[in-house]
Amino acid sequence: MMMEDGDDRARISALAHAMWESEGRPDGRDLEHWLKAEKLVDAQREAALVVQVHGKDQAGS
């Protein structure tokens, strides 16, 4: 995982919470939800970096 800042931590927390709620608030799956949310936030950050470096036309290539 990349280094997370305060904004990323808040996004991860919100996503993990949403996953937990959408799955019926199961007990004992907090780490699983956190790790899934962490991967999603990392992927979003990496995609944003690609757009910044290569421009919008190259992001999908």
Side-chain angles (χ1 to χ4, degrees):
M1 184 196 112
M2 296 178 153
M3 292 288 288
E4 62 187 55
D5 61 19
D7 289 340
D8 284 346
R9 188 168 177 81
R11 288 176 60 209
I12 293 166
S13 180
L15 283 168
H17 185 81
M19 289 176 194
W20 172 71
E21 284 195 336
S22 73
E23 293 180 11
R25 299 179 177 183
D27 288 333
R29 305 226 357 246
D30 51 327
L31 181 59
E32 176 186 342
H33 293 131
W34 184 271
L35 295 175
K36 283 182 182 179
E38 207 172 51
K39 285 182 182 180
L40 181 58
V41 169
D42 282 347
Q44 290 170 341
R45 183 190 303 134
E46 287 180 29
L49 287 174
V50 168
V51 170
Q52 287 176 357
V53 172
H54 297 289
K56 291 182 181 178
D57 295 337
Q58 302 250 339
S61 310

